[in-house]
Amino acid sequence: MPEWSFTLRLNQPLTPEQADAFDHCDAFADGSVSYTLAPDTPNQYTHHPDPAKLSELSCDVEAPTLLDAIAQVARNIRLIPGLRAVGVRHDDTVTLDEAAQRCDRSHQSLVELSRDQRGLGGFPEPESGAEGTAFYSWRKIAKFLRSIGDPVPESPRDLVIADQVLRLAHELEGVDVAPGTLRALGLPVD
C-alpha cells in the first residue's frame, strides 16, 4: 500500500494536555503522524518554532489513495478533545518517491530524468547539497514535467478536494444552516 505525505492543518496549536492525549491515542501509535509542541517557557530559548507549524501535523500515512489517507487522519484527530482538521497542504520539498506520487511517472522514470538518462536534460537539481537522500522542489519538477508535455496539475485533485471539504466543514462548525439550504448548494445531506 502506498505511503502518502502531507501536512494537516489544525484549528489550534496542541496544548500540553492534547499532546499527552495524542501520545496515548492508539490511532496515532504507529508514529505516522507527528506534531510540534511549543515550549512551556519560550522566552528561555533563542530559537522559537514557527507559530504556523504549531497548528500542523506532519503525516506519512499508508492508504489506498491520498484522499483516504487525509480522511483517516482528519477522522482520528477528532479523538483528541478540542482538535479538528481545517485544511491540508503539500510541502514543496519532496523526494523523487514523493514526486512520483504527484504525477503519472514512476520513481524509476524520475530517477532516469534526474540523471539525464532519459529525455533532453534540464531536470531540476536537488535543493539539498548534503549526502544521503536528495530533496527537490516540487514546483520545479512540475514545471519541468509540464515543459516536456506531461499534464501535471498544480495540486493533486485529492488534495484539493480534501482541503476544500475540511475548510467548509470548519466554516460550518457550530453554524445553524438548514439542510434544505445545504442541499440547494449541492451538498449531500443525510
Side-chain angles (χ1 to χ4, degrees):
M1 188 169 321
E3 182 176 277
W4 302 95
S5 298
F6 55 93
T7 300
L8 195 71
R9 293 187 322 45
L10 301 175
N11 60 314
Q12 67 178 52
L14 273 74
T15 65
E17 295 78 20
Q18 289 168 327
D20 187 56
F22 183 99
D23 292 343
H24 292 91
C25 182
D26 288 343
F28 300 112
D30 65 357
S32 63
V33 180
S34 62
Y35 60 86
T36 300
L37 189 63
D40 291 335
T41 53
N43 296 336
Q44 293 181 347
Y45 301 94
T46 56
H47 173 74
H48 301 282
D50 177 357
K53 299 276 186 210
L54 300 176
S55 296
E56 295 179 341
L57 299 176
S58 296
C59 307
D60 296 297
V61 177
E62 287 187 3
T65 67
L66 174 58
L67 190 58
D68 290 328
I70 296 167
Q72 175 184 325
V73 179
R75 180 194 65 228
N76 290 346
I77 199 62
R78 285 187 169 266
L79 297 171
I80 310 301
L83 292 181
R84 66 181 179 284
V86 298
V88 64
R89 67 176 177 78
H90 265 154
D91 287 326
D92 182 56
T93 305
V94 295
T95 63
L96 291 179
D97 275 330
E98 292 168 334
Q101 287 181 333
R102 298 184 191 186
C103 63
D104 285 332
R105 286 190 174 263
S106 68
H107 172 257
Q108 186 59 37
S109 170
L110 291 178
V111 168
E112 291 171 5
L113 285 169
S114 74
R115 294 180 180 160
D116 292 331
Q117 295 172 339
R118 173 185 270 185
L120 303 172
F123 193 85
E125 292 294 321
E127 298 291 308
S128 60
E131 294 291 320
T133 303
F135 292 96
Y136 295 82
S137 164
W138 168 245
R139 282 191 310 271
K140 291 177 183 176
I141 291 175
K143 182 179 178 181
F144 170 79
L145 292 174
R146 284 188 209 101
S147 77
I148 63 170
D150 286 11
V152 179
E154 289 296 321
S155 294
R157 184 170 172 82
D158 280 0
L159 185 80
V160 171
I161 290 168
D163 187 55
Q164 290 178 352
V165 169
L166 290 170
R167 287 172 184 262
L168 177 60
H170 174 63
E171 291 299 323
L172 290 173
E173 187 85 19
V175 176
D176 188 24
V177 180
T181 302
L182 294 175
R183 273 192 292 282
L185 291 169
L187 297 173
V189 179
D190 292 337

